[in-house]
Amino acid sequence: MNGERQEPPQASETTGRTATPGTMRAVTQDRYGDAEVLHQSFIPTPVPRDNEVLVRVHAAGLDRGTWHLMTGTPLLARLAVGLRRPRNPVPGLDLAGTVAAVGTAVTRFAVGDAVYGFGRGTFAEYAVAKEDRLAMKPANLDFRQAAVVPVSAATALQALRLGRVAAGQRVLVTGASGGVGSHAVQLAKALGAEVTGMASTAKQDLVLALGAEHAVDYTRQDFAESAQGYDLIIDTGGNPSLRRLRMALAPRGTAVIVGGEGAGKWLGMNRQFRAVALSPFIRQRLAMLASAQRATDLEELSTFLESGAVLPHIDVSFPLERARAAMEHLVAGKARGKIAITI
């Protein structure tokens, strides 16, 4: 299903000179902005705290959340990650690799374990992660496949859980060819739902290959006017108005809004807040997802991954030195599924 492409290691953007003992290669940024702020440099190797694990990163995943942190948008988020520049200069949230060292309080992992999960600054040769944000890597996945799972698949799982998905329901996933959407399609299918995926013309084949029974081409069809009466809509596209979501829902259906692209410069969640405010006054249920990073979700996902019910779809892999090109590929909307960065 993958048809994965690998970008060659060219057009490196490197600053600094050579690695010295105690340093590592990493992609860094010293200001907020678009992909041009990313460059490769040599920085000190992180040291894990008591409850942390140091992971030798074999691959990292690229997701929309990393783009938000790179650009510092929505602006309110800078209160948490740095007002003028990111406090952590190394981007990246997803990782898969081997344990290189553990903190004194860590009990679940040992040096040499193959793990995947949520890290801090994963576009680097080494990254630290809290023990409760890692799980053992599924044996049937390679490091690239495992690296693209955590943020996107956990978000999809939490959205379906919030939406109270049940076998036999009619589920619509918008943005079905993206990172969260491609996992939501497969998870909903594995949980017994009848799934419709919405994507562009060029990505209809991918949506069907992921297991969706139906595919909607948003360039030719208006999902809201088709009056399908979906029991659940997982909206990862960030564009439909609340009125159009409600038109497509069954009278007592649920819509879960994931993400907030184009939803305001300051908060980025205007549509979500309006949905939550409206929900108590209508029969339909409108909800917003605030995703979390938990090892328990990774362990649940591992059961789907190891059974083959869910498989990450990697569109293309870029080497670490081409992280800027990987980000540009994501922003351009070209990705069919996920983007991996190999180290």
Side-chain angles (χ1 to χ4, degrees):
M1 184 175 71
N2 266 11
E4 178 190 345
R5 297 174 288 124
Q6 294 190 41
E7 289 292 314
Q10 57 185 345
S12 166
E13 301 103 12
T14 306
T15 63
R17 297 179 182 176
T18 58
T20 58
T23 66
M24 64 176 184
R25 283 191 308 136
V27 171
T28 61
Q29 63 178 108
D30 55 12
R31 58 189 173 90
Y32 294 115
D34 294 325
E36 68 270 10
V37 304
L38 302 178
H39 54 268
Q40 186 180 234
S41 56
F42 295 98
I43 64 173
T45 303
V47 176
R49 297 173 182 168
D50 290 349
N51 65 337
E52 291 180 336
V53 176
L54 179 67
V55 179
R56 169 69 173 93
V57 182
H58 298 303
L62 177 56
D63 63 279
R64 200 71 186 182
T66 299
W67 176 84
H68 280 291
L69 292 174
M70 179 188 74
T71 58
T73 56
L75 296 178
L76 187 65
R78 298 190 187 189
L79 294 175
V81 299
L83 289 176
R84 297 185 177 181
R85 61 182 64 85
R87 292 194 188 99
N88 180 9
V90 183
L93 301 170
D94 286 330
L95 63 77
T98 53
V99 175
V102 297
T104 57
V106 171
T107 60
R108 295 174 54 236
F109 303 104
V111 172
D113 285 346
V115 297
Y116 78 126
F118 311 98
R120 185 170 69 247
T122 63
F123 291 3
E125 291 181 313
Y126 292 89
V128 292
K130 292 184 178 180
E131 181 183 20
D132 61 3
R133 295 183 182 181
L134 291 174
M136 300 296 289
K137 181 182 73 67
N140 61 320
L141 300 188
D142 62 30
F143 285 107
R144 279 180 298 182
Q145 291 173 311
V148 302
V149 168
V151 170
S152 294
T155 300
L157 179 65
Q158 292 167 30
L160 289 166
R161 190 184 292 145
L162 179 60
R164 302 167 189 165
V165 67
Q169 286 186 333
R170 303 185 69 187
V171 175
L172 172 68
V173 178
T174 73
S177 63
V180 176
S182 62
H183 287 100
V185 167
Q186 295 181 80
L187 286 165
K189 178 73 175 178
L191 293 168
E194 179 185 336
V195 183
T196 298
M198 189 166 73
S200 64
T201 305
K203 299 174 182 178
Q204 296 289 292
D205 60 330
L206 171 60
V207 172
L208 295 173
L210 291 168
E213 283 87 357
H214 316 284
V216 173
D217 182 347
Y218 66 76
T219 68
R220 299 178 180 180
Q221 302 168 260
D222 187 339
F223 79 97
E225 293 183 355
S226 61
Q228 293 296 313
Y230 294 106
D231 300 295
L232 173 61
I233 297 177
I234 303 298
D235 176 34
T236 74
N239 293 317
S241 67
L242 297 183
R243 182 183 67 84
R244 295 180 70 236
L245 287 175
R246 292 189 61 202
M247 285 175 61
L249 278 176
R252 293 191 179 276
T254 296
V256 177
I257 301 175
V258 181
E261 307 310 323
K265 178 180 178 181
W266 288 94
L267 293 176
M269 301 178 74
N270 297 342
R271 192 168 56 116
Q272 288 97 314
F273 289 137
R274 286 189 286 110
V276 171
L278 175 63
S279 188
F281 303 100
I282 59 176
R283 290 191 298 167
Q284 294 162 326
R285 178 169 167 256
L286 306 178
M288 61 178 280
L289 176 69
S291 59
Q293 299 179 354
R294 297 184 292 251
T296 52
D297 286 337
L298 295 173
E299 290 163 352
E300 183 174 349
L301 286 167
S302 291
T303 64
F304 290 102
L305 294 162
E306 289 171 342
S307 72
V310 174
L311 289 174
H313 183 94
I314 299 178
D315 174 45
V316 60
S317 295
F318 290 83
L320 181 65
E321 59 268 25
R322 299 209 64 209
R324 183 186 298 177
M327 184 64 75
E328 290 170 345
H329 187 76
L330 174 73
V331 173
K334 297 177 181 179
R336 293 165 53 93
K338 291 291 298 183
I339 300 170
I341 293 177
T342 57
I343 296 97

